[in-house]
């Protein structure tokens, strides 16, 4: 007969142990720290190489790490690499950490980095070949030992550490392979299929070295993370984090006010006054490097969303572009739409960044002169265009785009606005479907070179520049100066060349800058967030006041 002091054959002392364990679990669950974030811009994939946009890159930083990492002020510091140095103009040596494990418990080493570079070049599902510009310049990547990496570039690249810091490192264990080598012609030793975006979204291949694990990615519904026990850095404060996509400002703020969200990013600037009046809420602001700008289809003689009497493309005339710039009152946009949380932009990066113009000439608001320039260019009666923009990506983006459309219409450029979600916008823009679009770009590595090499230079696959030049703007004189700048190791000379290139771009106005955003976050009292120039919302950097 079973002992009266035991059940299912377990002695009483075992039940005491189980009871203690259950009590411990209950206590642990009660003290678990969870964080819910209302997110303005939803990531389009959990694949860190799918699309080089801020929302995706911010998510990647939760799950993955890179050789380097940018701090809150855009300075690049070592991460998976302990250090780096240039051996000569074309060769860099990276010393890797030897104490890092992936979230599945496997060890990190140089093979994982080489495999990652290969996967970037074999990612058919990526939008606009994201991150391939950096790798395309690699002549060779070698690992003299498991924790040393030597990268030799085809062209001189003084910003290589900053550029590779943007590439999330994957585990080579997610594919079948033989010996991993940087041999793109022979699939780098990979014998199985390359991972797809669905493999990451499902969580199967979302194996990284970041502070969190991906529990669930459900587009339109939310993203759930949990703390990575193998993370090599400082453990985040949160056991679980949930990102909820809330693209509209009103519902996002309402969720914070009701307590549904602990933290929201990109609150509307007009709502900061209300947040200030609440004893239970706080906010953070940070100047950003994100420029909001207008991009025109200049390369095509016939463009789909332009209507003129002659059928010509007016954007090809410099006088028209200057007229468009003069038609826009940047200060009014900053004060009335952005509620002062922005700065008028007269170049493409803030004047404090490397290679920027220290005191750029303001772009004037002069609608009378704008009309005169249009008449000089042969458009006294103006013309008709469509402006395409996002309505859920940048701060007050649809309102800004509407204001731009109204300013242009007043001088005779009759502008229809077509605003859409960022997922649709970016896909269509990558296919170069637009004639006139409003975009945003947050410069990180390279200062002034970041925007200029990505957007303004003529598209050149072999040099890895111009991938975002969707309007096919091209100026050989500008290209010559910019290419010389990004290949110059001497920082003083490079900065001077970048200033020269910036002035050339502003003189021609192949792109029209509008303003620099200020980044905003709001959260319940008791939380703290420093804010970041790149506008990323990183759960690992959100802390409680008691932990600061």
């Amino acid at each position: 007969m079973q002992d009266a002091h035991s059940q299912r054959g377990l002695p009483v002392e075992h039940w005491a142990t189980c009871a203690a364990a259950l009590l411990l679990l209950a206590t642990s669950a009660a003290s678990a720290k969870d964080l819910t974030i209302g997110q303005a811009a939803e990531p389009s994939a959990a694949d860190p190489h799918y699309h080089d946009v801020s929302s995706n890159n911010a998510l990647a930083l939760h799950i993955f790490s890179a050789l380097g990492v940018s701090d809150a002020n855009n300075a690049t510091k070592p991460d998976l690499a302990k250090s780096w140095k240039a051996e000569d103009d074309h060769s860099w040596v990276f010393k890797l950490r030897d104490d890092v494990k992936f979230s599945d418990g496997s060890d990190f080493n140089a093979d994982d980095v080489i495999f990652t570079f290969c996967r970037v070049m074999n990612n058919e599902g990526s939008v606009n070949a994201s991150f391939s510009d950096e790798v395309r310049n690699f002549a060779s990547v070698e690992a003299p030992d498991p924790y040393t990496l030597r990268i030799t570039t085809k062209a001189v690249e003084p910003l290589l550490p900053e550029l590779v810091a943007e590439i999330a490192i994957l585990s080579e264990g997610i594919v079948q392979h033989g010996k991993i080598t940087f041999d793109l012609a022979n699939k780098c030793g990979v014998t199985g299929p390359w991972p797809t975006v669905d493999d990451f979204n499902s969580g199967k291949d979302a194996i990284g070295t970041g502070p969190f694990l991906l529990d669930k990615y459900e587009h339109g519904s939310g993203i759930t993370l949990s703390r990575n026990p193998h993370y090599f850095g400082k453990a985040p404060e949160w056991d679980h984090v949930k990102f909820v996509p809330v693209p509209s400002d009103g519902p996002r703020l309402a969720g914070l006010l009701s307590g549904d969200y602990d933290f929201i990013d990109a609150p509307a600037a007009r709502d900061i006054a209300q947040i200030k009046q609440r004893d239970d809420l706080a906010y953070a602001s940070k100047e950003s490097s994100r420029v909001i700008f207008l991009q025109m289809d200049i390369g095509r003689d016939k463009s789909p969303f332009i209507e003129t009497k002659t059928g010509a493309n007016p954007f090809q005339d410099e006088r028209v572009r200057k007229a468009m710039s003069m038609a826009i009152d940047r200060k009014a946009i900053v004060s009335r739409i952005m509620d002062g949380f922005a700065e008028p932009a007269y170049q493409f990066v803030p004047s404090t960044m490397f290679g920027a113009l220290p005191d750029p000439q303001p772009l004037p608001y002069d609608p009378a002169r704008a009309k005169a320039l249009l008449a000089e260019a042969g458009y006294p009666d103006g013309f008709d265009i469509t402006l395409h923009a996002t309505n859920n990506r940048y701060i007050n983006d649809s309102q800004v785009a509407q204001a731009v459309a109204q300013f242009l219409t007043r001088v005779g450029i009759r502008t229809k606005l077509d605003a859409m979600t960022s997922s649709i916008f970016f896909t269509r823009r990558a296919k170069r479907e637009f004639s006139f679009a409003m975009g945003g770009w947050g410069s990180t590595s390279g200062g002034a070179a970041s925007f200029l090499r990505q957007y303004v230079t003529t598209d050149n696959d072999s040099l890895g520049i111009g991938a975002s030049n969707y309007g096919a703007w091209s100026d050989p004189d500008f290209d010559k100066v910019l290419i010389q700048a990004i290949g110059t190791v001497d920082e003083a000379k490079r900065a001077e060349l970048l200033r020269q290139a910036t002035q050339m771009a502003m003189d021609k106005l192949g792109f029209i800058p509008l303003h620099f955003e200020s980044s905003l976050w709001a959260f319940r009292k008791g939380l703290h967030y420093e804010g970041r120039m790149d506008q990323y919302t990183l759960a690992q950097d959100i802390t409680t006041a008691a932990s600061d």
Side-chain angles (χ1 to χ4, degrees):
M1 184 175 179
Q2 195 169 0
D3 190 335
H5 298 289
S6 64
Q7 298 181 32
R8 296 182 184 271
L10 291 177
V12 66
E13 59 270 19
H14 284 200
W15 275 100
T17 302
C18 291
L22 288 171
L23 180 61
L24 180 62
L25 286 172
T27 303
S28 176
S31 62
K33 299 180 72 173
D34 297 346
L35 184 72
T36 303
I37 299 173
Q39 192 171 32
E42 181 184 16
S44 58
D47 180 347
H49 306 148
Y50 175 70
H51 194 186
D52 184 9
V53 291
S54 294
S55 54
N56 288 29
N57 295 344
L59 173 61
L61 285 173
H62 290 83
I63 306 165
F64 303 92
S65 310
L67 296 181
V69 65
S70 292
D71 66 12
N73 296 308
N74 281 349
T76 301
K77 299 179 179 180
D79 200 26
L80 290 177
K82 295 188 296 185
S83 64
W84 49 71
K85 67 176 182 179
E87 286 188 324
D88 53 51
D89 285 354
H90 289 269
S91 298
W92 288 81
V93 173
F94 293 77
K95 291 295 184 180
L96 309 182
R97 296 180 66 122
D98 60 4
D99 59 346
V100 177
K101 289 185 180 293
F102 283 93
S103 56
D104 64 355
S106 60
D107 291 331
F108 158 77
N109 61 40
D111 283 351
D112 301 298
V113 183
I114 296 174
F115 162 70
T116 296
F117 294 156
C118 292
R119 193 270 172 158
V120 165
M121 299 302 294
N122 288 275
N123 188 13
E124 293 182 359
S126 69
V127 176
N128 205 33
S130 288
F131 303 101
S132 63
D133 284 351
E134 292 90 334
V135 182
R136 194 175 286 117
N137 188 30
F138 295 172
S140 65
V141 184
E142 301 168 313
D145 63 65
Y147 297 102
T148 301
L149 196 73
R150 177 177 288 105
I151 300 176
T152 302
T153 60
K154 300 171 187 175
V156 178
E157 183 47 86
L159 299 177
L160 186 67
E162 289 90 342
L163 294 174
V164 296
E166 298 173 356
I167 302 177
I169 302 302
L170 310 178
S171 166
E172 48 82 18
I174 64 176
V175 296
Q176 297 175 346
H177 62 83
K179 180 175 175 55
I180 294 291
T181 60
F182 190 72
D183 182 1
L184 297 175
N186 293 297
K187 296 185 63 177
C188 301
V190 173
T191 56
W194 293 97
T196 66
V197 63
D198 290 338
D199 293 330
F200 287 91
N201 291 348
S202 69
K204 181 175 78 72
D205 287 345
I207 298 170
T209 57
F212 291 98
L213 308 171
L214 177 65
D215 292 335
K216 183 179 73 171
Y217 172 89
E218 194 170 89
H219 189 66
S221 233
I223 298 166
T224 305
L225 310 174
S226 58
R227 186 190 287 123
N228 177 10
H230 295 293
Y231 182 51
F232 62 94
K234 181 182 178 181
E237 202 170 321
W238 312 104
D239 295 306
H240 305 95
V241 177
K242 184 173 184 179
F243 287 95
V244 181
V246 194
S248 298
D249 296 339
R252 200 162 58 256
L253 178 64
L256 179 67
L257 297 177
S258 67
D260 290 340
Y261 313 130
D262 303 301
F263 188 106
I264 62 172
D265 56 22
R270 63 180 176 272
D271 293 329
I272 296 300
Q274 179 182 357
I275 291 169
K276 284 181 177 179
Q277 294 173 356
R278 300 270 304 221
D279 292 335
D280 57 339
L281 298 179
Y283 79 97
S285 65
K286 179 86 171 178
E287 69 279 7
S288 90
S289 60
R290 183 172 303 285
V291 64
I292 303 300
F293 64 95
L294 302 174
Q295 185 171 34
M296 296 145 286
D297 179 9
I298 296 173
R300 291 181 285 191
D301 294 333
K302 303 284 186 181
S303 194
F305 292 97
I306 302 175
E307 294 182 18
T308 62
K309 290 182 178 179
T310 64
N313 181 348
F315 295 151
Q316 294 178 338
D317 192 311
E318 184 178 320
R319 292 169 295 184
V320 171
R321 302 194 298 271
K322 288 184 177 179
M324 294 169 69
S325 177
M326 288 181 176
I328 299 168
D329 188 343
R330 291 166 176 78
K331 291 181 179 178
I333 290 175
V334 167
S335 63
R336 297 174 194 170
I337 297 177
M338 304 302 289
D339 289 274
F341 287 99
E343 289 289 336
Y346 306 130
Q347 58 181 324
F348 302 107
V349 297
S351 58
T352 55
M353 293 190 74
F354 182 85
L357 299 173
D359 188 20
Q361 186 71 24
L363 295 170
Y365 170 56
D366 190 342
R369 178 59 180 151
K371 290 179 181 179
L373 281 172
L374 288 173
E376 289 178 23
Y379 301 97
D381 300 321
F383 50 89
D384 296 87
I385 58 173
T386 298
L387 170 61
H388 289 92
T390 58
N391 59 15
N392 67 340
R393 174 60 192 93
Y394 309 110
I395 299 174
N396 299 335
D397 46 7
S398 59
Q399 297 98 309
V400 170
Q402 186 176 26
V404 169
Q406 290 171 350
F407 282 129
L408 293 176
T409 298
R410 288 173 190 170
V411 299
I413 303 174
R414 294 169 293 278
T415 306
K416 174 185 175 183
L417 174 62
D418 185 1
M420 63 198 71
T421 62
S422 57
S423 59
I424 296 173
F425 176 87
F426 289 133
T427 300
R428 291 185 63 188
R429 187 180 67 170
K431 296 177 181 177
R432 307 194 176 191
E433 293 185 6
F434 302 144
S435 298
F436 182 41
M438 188 181 84
W441 180 260
S443 294
T444 52
S445 58
S450 178
F451 183 89
L452 297 177
R453 70 185 291 161
Q454 187 78 7
Y455 279 89
V456 187
T457 47
T458 305
D459 191 4
N460 188 321
D461 283 348
S462 63
L463 294 179
I465 56 177
S468 297
N469 190 348
Y470 306 111
W473 158 257
S474 183
D475 184 327
D477 292 334
F478 169 84
D479 290 347
K480 182 178 179 180
V481 175
L482 193 280
I483 291 170
Q484 183 182 355
I486 62 177
T488 298
V489 176
D490 182 276
E491 287 197 355
K493 293 179 180 178
R494 185 166 75 252
E496 180 54 38
L497 287 166
L498 287 174
R499 286 190 285 269
Q500 182 181 342
T502 297
Q503 190 60 62
M504 294 172 75
M506 293 306 304
D507 289 343
K508 296 290 186 180
L509 281 180
F511 301 79
I512 300 175
L514 297 177
H515 61 268
F516 296 109
E517 292 184 340
S518 291
S519 306
L520 293 169
W521 297 265
F523 37 86
R524 60 177 170 81
K525 263 297 175 49
L527 296 181
H528 172 76
Y529 194 63
E530 178 183 354
R532 296 176 58 90
M533 281 192 72
D534 56 22
Q535 301 184 306
Y536 292 174
T537 298
L538 301 183
Q540 56 265 40
D541 291 345
I542 300 171
T543 61
T544 57
S547 68
D548 293 341

Short mmCIF file of all heavy atoms in Angstrom, two decimals, residues 217-240:
data_model
loop_
_atom_site.label_atom_id
_atom_site.label_comp_id
_atom_site.label_asym_id
_atom_site.label_seq_id
_atom_site.Cartn_x
_atom_site.Cartn_y
_atom_site.Cartn_z
N TYR A 217 7.47 36.60 -34.75
CA TYR A 217 7.34 37.72 -35.68
C TYR A 217 6.06 37.50 -36.46
O TYR A 217 5.91 36.51 -37.18
CB TYR A 217 8.54 37.80 -36.63
CG TYR A 217 8.34 38.83 -37.73
CD1 TYR A 217 8.72 40.15 -37.54
CD2 TYR A 217 7.73 38.49 -38.94
CE1 TYR A 217 8.51 41.10 -38.53
CE2 TYR A 217 7.52 39.44 -39.93
CZ TYR A 217 7.91 40.74 -39.72
OH TYR A 217 7.70 41.68 -40.70
N GLU A 218 5.12 38.41 -36.29
CA GLU A 218 3.83 38.30 -36.97
C GLU A 218 3.50 39.65 -37.55
O GLU A 218 3.09 40.57 -36.83
CB GLU A 218 2.74 37.84 -35.99
CG GLU A 218 1.46 37.37 -36.66
CD GLU A 218 0.53 36.71 -35.66
OE1 GLU A 218 -0.29 37.44 -35.05
OE2 GLU A 218 0.63 35.48 -35.49
N HIS A 219 3.71 39.77 -38.85
CA HIS A 219 3.54 41.07 -39.50
C HIS A 219 2.12 41.58 -39.30
O HIS A 219 1.14 40.87 -39.52
CB HIS A 219 3.85 40.94 -41.00
CG HIS A 219 3.90 42.26 -41.70
ND1 HIS A 219 4.87 43.20 -41.45
CD2 HIS A 219 3.10 42.82 -42.64
CE1 HIS A 219 4.68 44.26 -42.20
NE2 HIS A 219 3.60 44.06 -42.94
N GLY A 220 2.01 42.83 -38.86
CA GLY A 220 0.72 43.45 -38.62
C GLY A 220 0.19 43.23 -37.22
O GLY A 220 -0.74 43.92 -36.79
N SER A 221 0.77 42.26 -36.50
CA SER A 221 0.28 41.92 -35.17
C SER A 221 1.28 42.26 -34.07
O SER A 221 0.92 42.81 -33.04
CB SER A 221 0.04 40.44 -35.12
OG SER A 221 -1.18 40.14 -34.70
N GLY A 222 2.54 41.96 -34.29
CA GLY A 222 3.53 42.28 -33.27
C GLY A 222 4.73 41.37 -33.30
O GLY A 222 4.76 40.35 -34.00
N ILE A 223 5.72 41.76 -32.52
CA ILE A 223 6.98 41.02 -32.40
C ILE A 223 7.24 40.80 -30.92
O ILE A 223 7.14 41.73 -30.12
CB ILE A 223 8.15 41.82 -33.02
CG1 ILE A 223 7.90 42.04 -34.52
CG2 ILE A 223 9.48 41.11 -32.78
CD1 ILE A 223 8.81 43.09 -35.12
N THR A 224 7.55 39.56 -30.58
CA THR A 224 7.81 39.23 -29.18
C THR A 224 9.25 38.72 -29.05
O THR A 224 9.68 37.85 -29.81
CB THR A 224 6.84 38.17 -28.66
OG1 THR A 224 5.50 38.62 -28.89
CG2 THR A 224 7.03 37.94 -27.17
N LEU A 225 9.96 39.26 -28.06
CA LEU A 225 11.34 38.89 -27.79
C LEU A 225 11.46 38.41 -26.35
O LEU A 225 10.66 38.79 -25.49
CB LEU A 225 12.28 40.08 -28.00
CG LEU A 225 12.17 40.88 -29.29
CD1 LEU A 225 13.08 42.11 -29.23
CD2 LEU A 225 12.54 40.02 -30.49
N SER A 226 12.49 37.62 -26.10
CA SER A 226 12.82 37.26 -24.73
C SER A 226 14.33 37.36 -24.55
O SER A 226 15.09 37.30 -25.52
CB SER A 226 12.33 35.85 -24.39
OG SER A 226 12.89 34.89 -25.27
N ARG A 227 14.75 37.50 -23.31
CA ARG A 227 16.17 37.71 -23.03
C ARG A 227 17.00 36.52 -23.50
O ARG A 227 16.65 35.36 -23.28
CB ARG A 227 16.38 37.95 -21.54
CG ARG A 227 17.81 38.33 -21.19
CD ARG A 227 18.08 38.33 -19.70
NE ARG A 227 17.45 39.47 -19.04
CZ ARG A 227 16.59 39.36 -18.05
NH1 ARG A 227 16.21 38.17 -17.62
NH2 ARG A 227 16.09 40.44 -17.49
N ASN A 228 18.14 36.81 -24.13
CA ASN A 228 19.07 35.78 -24.60
C ASN A 228 20.04 35.43 -23.47
O ASN A 228 20.88 36.26 -23.10
CB ASN A 228 19.84 36.29 -25.83
CG ASN A 228 20.87 35.29 -26.33
OD1 ASN A 228 20.92 34.14 -25.89
ND2 ASN A 228 21.70 35.73 -27.27
N PRO A 229 19.96 34.21 -22.93
CA PRO A 229 20.84 33.87 -21.80
C PRO A 229 22.31 33.77 -22.20
O PRO A 229 23.19 33.79 -21.33
CB PRO A 229 20.30 32.51 -21.33
CG PRO A 229 19.64 31.93 -22.54
CD PRO A 229 19.07 33.09 -23.29
N HIS A 230 22.60 33.67 -23.50
CA HIS A 230 23.98 33.54 -23.96
C HIS A 230 24.61 34.88 -24.35
O HIS A 230 25.76 34.90 -24.81
CB HIS A 230 24.04 32.61 -25.18
CG HIS A 230 23.65 31.19 -24.89
ND1 HIS A 230 24.39 30.35 -24.09
CD2 HIS A 230 22.57 30.47 -25.29
CE1 HIS A 230 23.80 29.17 -24.02
NE2 HIS A 230 22.69 29.21 -24.73
N TYR A 231 23.89 35.98 -24.17
CA TYR A 231 24.40 37.26 -24.63
C TYR A 231 25.69 37.63 -23.91
O TYR A 231 25.80 37.52 -22.69
CB TYR A 231 23.36 38.35 -24.40
CG TYR A 231 23.79 39.71 -24.89
CD1 TYR A 231 24.29 39.89 -26.18
CD2 TYR A 231 23.70 40.83 -24.06
CE1 TYR A 231 24.68 41.13 -26.63
CE2 TYR A 231 24.07 42.09 -24.51
CZ TYR A 231 24.57 42.24 -25.79
OH TYR A 231 24.97 43.48 -26.23
N PHE A 232 26.68 38.10 -24.69
CA PHE A 232 28.01 38.36 -24.14
C PHE A 232 28.12 39.74 -23.49
O PHE A 232 29.08 40.01 -22.76
CB PHE A 232 29.06 38.25 -25.26
CG PHE A 232 28.90 39.25 -26.37
CD1 PHE A 232 29.58 40.45 -26.35
CD2 PHE A 232 28.05 38.98 -27.45
CE1 PHE A 232 29.43 41.37 -27.38
CE2 PHE A 232 27.89 39.89 -28.48
CZ PHE A 232 28.58 41.08 -28.45
N GLY A 233 27.17 40.61 -23.75
CA GLY A 233 27.24 41.96 -23.19
C GLY A 233 26.42 42.08 -21.92
O GLY A 233 26.04 41.09 -21.30
N LYS A 234 26.15 43.31 -21.54
CA LYS A 234 25.33 43.55 -20.35
C LYS A 234 23.91 43.07 -20.60
O LYS A 234 23.28 43.43 -21.59
CB LYS A 234 25.32 45.05 -20.01
CG LYS A 234 24.50 45.38 -18.77
CD LYS A 234 24.49 46.88 -18.50
CE LYS A 234 23.63 47.21 -17.28
NZ LYS A 234 23.58 48.66 -17.01
N ALA A 235 23.41 42.25 -19.70
CA ALA A 235 22.07 41.68 -19.88
C ALA A 235 21.03 42.79 -19.83
O ALA A 235 21.09 43.69 -18.99
CB ALA A 235 21.78 40.66 -18.79
N PRO A 236 20.07 42.76 -20.75
CA PRO A 236 19.00 43.75 -20.70
C PRO A 236 18.14 43.57 -19.46
O PRO A 236 18.12 42.49 -18.85
CB PRO A 236 18.20 43.48 -21.98
CG PRO A 236 18.48 42.06 -22.30
CD PRO A 236 19.89 41.80 -21.85
N GLU A 237 17.45 44.60 -19.10
CA GLU A 237 16.65 44.56 -17.88
C GLU A 237 15.37 43.75 -18.04
O GLU A 237 14.77 43.32 -17.06
CB GLU A 237 16.30 46.00 -17.48
CG GLU A 237 15.97 46.16 -16.01
CD GLU A 237 15.88 47.61 -15.61
OE1 GLU A 237 16.70 48.42 -16.09
OE2 GLU A 237 14.98 47.93 -14.82
N TRP A 238 14.96 43.51 -19.30
CA TRP A 238 13.64 42.96 -19.56
C TRP A 238 13.69 41.48 -19.90
O TRP A 238 14.49 41.04 -20.72
CB TRP A 238 12.97 43.75 -20.70
CG TRP A 238 13.09 45.21 -20.45
CD1 TRP A 238 13.94 46.10 -21.06
CD2 TRP A 238 12.39 45.97 -19.46
NE1 TRP A 238 13.80 47.34 -20.53
CE2 TRP A 238 12.86 47.30 -19.55
CE3 TRP A 238 11.41 45.64 -18.52
CZ2 TRP A 238 12.37 48.31 -18.72
CZ3 TRP A 238 10.92 46.65 -17.71
CH2 TRP A 238 11.40 47.97 -17.81
N ASP A 239 12.80 40.72 -19.25
CA ASP A 239 12.68 39.30 -19.58
C ASP A 239 11.99 39.10 -20.92
O ASP A 239 12.36 38.24 -21.71
CB ASP A 239 11.88 38.56 -18.49
CG ASP A 239 12.59 38.58 -17.15
OD1 ASP A 239 13.76 38.16 -17.11
OD2 ASP A 239 11.98 39.02 -16.17
N HIS A 240 10.96 39.90 -21.15
CA HIS A 240 10.20 39.80 -22.39
C HIS A 240 9.89 41.20 -22.90
O HIS A 240 9.62 42.11 -22.11
CB HIS A 240 8.88 39.04 -22.19
CG HIS A 240 9.06 37.67 -21.60
ND1 HIS A 240 8.94 37.43 -20.24
CD2 HIS A 240 9.36 36.49 -22.17
CE1 HIS A 240 9.16 36.15 -20.00
NE2 HIS A 240 9.42 35.56 -21.16
#
